[in-house]
């Protein structure tokens, strides 16, 4: 039985896509499907996949529809119990697929929605790239273990959300109207935090799968860690994420932290010469939140989920300690 479909979004990934696919097919798991969703690449990467990997199912978009829409296309085209999302600028270790599936299979109550692989820097294998994602009361998302020794992250644990660059999800919950697919209003950035947040509201957990390892180049699509496009889009989505997932009372409770978080980020990007892009993104985030599309996607509050909101709030405060610890 094939358990997993691996969905790889691709945009001009000629530098990485061949090594990514070769690492998957050279692994210990042999029973899986691969879907590459191409977002109007012009560098020949789509043709490379078609010519050299005939077993890969290729979905081709005529324009760049963004990460969220692309992976949703792949998810909708899948039929397996699990869906694994993988960035095109990664190289998987031999047991990458098997170890992700093992975490999900061992969850008898099926309360684990997702599991995040251990991502190590492709160009500096002594540094962790991501060991699961956290989200805190400042409105900041951050990668657990970023820049630290990979050997420090060798145990499975709960995390706030799985990094969609290398993670496994239960397809039935992605199809469930409560949790659902990635929110395409994000286009890219924060979409995985939003999805993990949403799953937690409905009582599901997200895990870190320490023995599932990939090597990640990073910023292959955007071109750099900080740029105008990424800064503006991420700041917009950070506002939308708060509006969408927090009830009004929780926003009020966190408001001093959130205002401090936005102020610190504003000063940070001003120093980098991107302050205008960051602040313009915040304005767009407010507009998106107040738009018909934003209001339609807001998670409705129900008293029966009050305990989940309390648990999430406690985690938001604990993650402040993790951020500065």
């Amino acid at each position: 039985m094939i358990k997993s479909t691996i969905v790889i979004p691709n945009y001009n990934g000629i530098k990485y896509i061949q090594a990514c696919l070769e690492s998957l097919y050279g692994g210990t798991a042999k029973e899986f499907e691969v879907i590459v969703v191409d977002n109007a690449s012009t560098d020949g990467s789509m043709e490379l996949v078609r010519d050299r990997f005939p077993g890969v199912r290729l979905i081709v978009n005529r324009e760049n529809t963004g990460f969220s829409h692309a992976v949703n296309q792949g998810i909708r085209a899948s039929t397996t119990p699990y869906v694994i999302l993988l960035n095109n600028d990664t190289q998987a270790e031999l047991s990458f697929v098997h170890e992700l599936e093992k975490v999900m299979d061992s969850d008898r109550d099926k309360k684990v929605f997702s599991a995040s692989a251990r991502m190590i820097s492709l160009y500096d294998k002594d540094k962790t790239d991501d060991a699961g994602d956290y989200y805190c009361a400042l409105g900041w998302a951050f990668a657990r273990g970023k820049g630290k020794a990979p050997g420090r992250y060798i145990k499975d644990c709960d995390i706030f959300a799985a990094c969609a660059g290398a993670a496994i999800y239960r397809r039935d919950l992605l199809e469930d109207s409560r949790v659902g697919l990635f929110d395409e209003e994000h286009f890219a950035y924060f979409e995985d935090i939003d999805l993990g947040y949403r799953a937690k509201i409905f009582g599901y957990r997200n895990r870190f799968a320490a023995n599932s390892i990939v090597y990640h180049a990073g910023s292959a699509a955007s071109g750099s860690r900080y740029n105008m496009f990424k800064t503006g889009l991420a700041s917009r989505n950070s506002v939308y994420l708060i509006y969408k997932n927090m009830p009004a009372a929780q926003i009020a409770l966190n408001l001093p932290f959130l205002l401090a978080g936005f102020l610190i980020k504003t000063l940070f990007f001003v120093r980098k010469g991107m302050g205008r892009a960051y602040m313009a993104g915040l304005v767009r985030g407010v507009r998106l939140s107040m738009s018909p599309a934003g209001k339609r996607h807001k998670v409705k509050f129900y008293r029966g989920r009050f305990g989940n909101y309390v648990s999430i709030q406690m985690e938001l405060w604990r993650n402040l300690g993790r951020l500065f610890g």
Side-chain angles (χ1 to χ4, degrees):
M1 173 186 173
I2 298 177
K3 295 180 181 180
S4 298
T5 299
I6 302 172
V7 176
I8 304 173
N10 179 66
Y11 175 67
N12 289 339
I14 190 72
K15 183 178 178 181
Y16 303 102
I17 190 68
Q18 181 172 340
C20 176
L21 290 169
E22 287 176 347
S23 70
L24 288 173
Y25 286 116
T28 56
K30 302 301 179 184
E31 297 294 323
F32 57 83
E33 297 176 349
V34 179
I35 299 175
V36 171
V37 185
D38 188 82
N39 261 336
S41 294
T42 57
D43 64 346
S45 52
M46 178 182 65
E47 290 78 11
L48 182 152
V49 172
R50 180 182 289 127
D51 293 344
R52 300 189 185 183
F53 300 94
V56 170
R57 182 175 177 182
L58 192 60
I59 298 174
V60 180
N61 293 320
R62 293 184 177 180
E63 59 183 276
N64 186 351
T65 60
F67 178 90
S68 299
H69 179 264
V71 297
N72 281 349
Q73 287 178 288
I75 292 166
R76 290 190 182 102
S78 67
T79 58
T80 51
Y82 305 138
V83 175
I84 295 174
L85 302 187
L86 187 66
N87 280 3
N88 64 354
D89 61 340
T90 58
Q91 294 177 26
E93 279 211 347
L94 295 177
S95 60
F96 163 70
V97 173
H98 172 72
E99 291 294 342
L100 284 177
E101 291 177 343
K102 188 164 71 173
V103 170
M104 305 302 277
D105 289 344
S106 63
D107 177 35
R108 295 181 181 178
D109 296 331
K110 295 186 177 181
K111 282 295 184 179
V112 173
F113 167 62
S114 69
S116 189
R118 179 157 50 125
M119 303 178 75
I120 298 171
S121 174
L122 179 64
Y123 299 121
D124 187 351
K125 293 183 173 60
D126 292 326
K127 292 184 179 179
T128 299
D129 186 67
D130 191 297
D133 286 346
Y134 284 144
Y135 184 68
C136 72
L138 292 171
W140 298 359
F142 57 100
R144 176 173 174 258
K146 183 78 171 180
K148 298 179 180 178
R152 297 177 61 175
Y153 305 96
I154 58 174
K155 292 183 179 180
D156 293 5
C157 64
D158 279 5
I159 52 176
F160 192 90
C163 173
I168 190 169
Y169 299 84
R170 293 193 189 278
R171 189 174 59 83
D172 61 341
L173 293 178
L174 290 167
E175 293 179 335
D176 189 310
S177 60
R178 297 176 304 166
V179 178
L181 296 167
F182 287 85
D183 185 346
E184 295 177 13
E185 296 298 332
H186 283 97
F187 189 84
Y189 308 118
F190 282 89
E191 73 291 322
D192 47 5
I193 301 294
D194 169 63
L195 183 60
Y197 199 138
R198 205 155 68 240
K200 291 173 78 68
I201 290 174
F202 289 96
Y204 295 100
R205 299 160 58 207
N206 304 297
R207 295 283 287 172
F208 169 59
N211 293 324
S212 177
I213 298 172
V214 297
Y215 300 97
H216 183 219
S219 303
S222 63
S224 62
R225 184 174 181 182
Y226 299 113
N227 56 65
M228 294 292 188
F229 171 78
K230 183 175 181 179
T231 297
L233 192 55
S235 66
R236 184 198 76 149
N237 292 347
S238 66
V239 174
Y240 178 50
L241 173 71
I242 294 164
Y243 163 80
K244 179 180 175 181
N245 293 291
M246 288 188 186
Q250 190 177 19
I251 292 176
L253 177 65
N254 287 299
L255 192 59
F257 296 99
L258 295 172
L259 291 176
F262 287 129
L263 176 60
I264 294 168
K265 287 278 190 179
T266 298
L267 295 175
F268 174 82
F269 284 108
V270 165
R271 292 185 64 182
K272 286 190 169 293
M274 301 180 189
R276 184 173 295 180
Y278 180 79
M279 288 184 284
L282 296 180
V283 173
R284 292 198 304 273
V286 173
R287 290 175 179 170
L288 172 59
S289 300
M290 296 298 103
S291 71
K295 293 179 179 179
R296 185 171 64 250
H297 289 300
K298 184 171 177 61
V299 180
K300 294 181 179 179
F301 175 78
Y302 293 104
R303 291 182 181 179
R305 294 200 292 267
F306 181 76
N308 296 338
Y309 282 103
V310 172
S311 177
I312 290 169
Q313 183 59 48
M314 297 303 293
E315 189 170 357
L316 296 181
W317 283 334
R318 285 198 303 272
N319 288 343
L320 287 173
R322 293 181 170 123
L323 175 64
F324 296 110

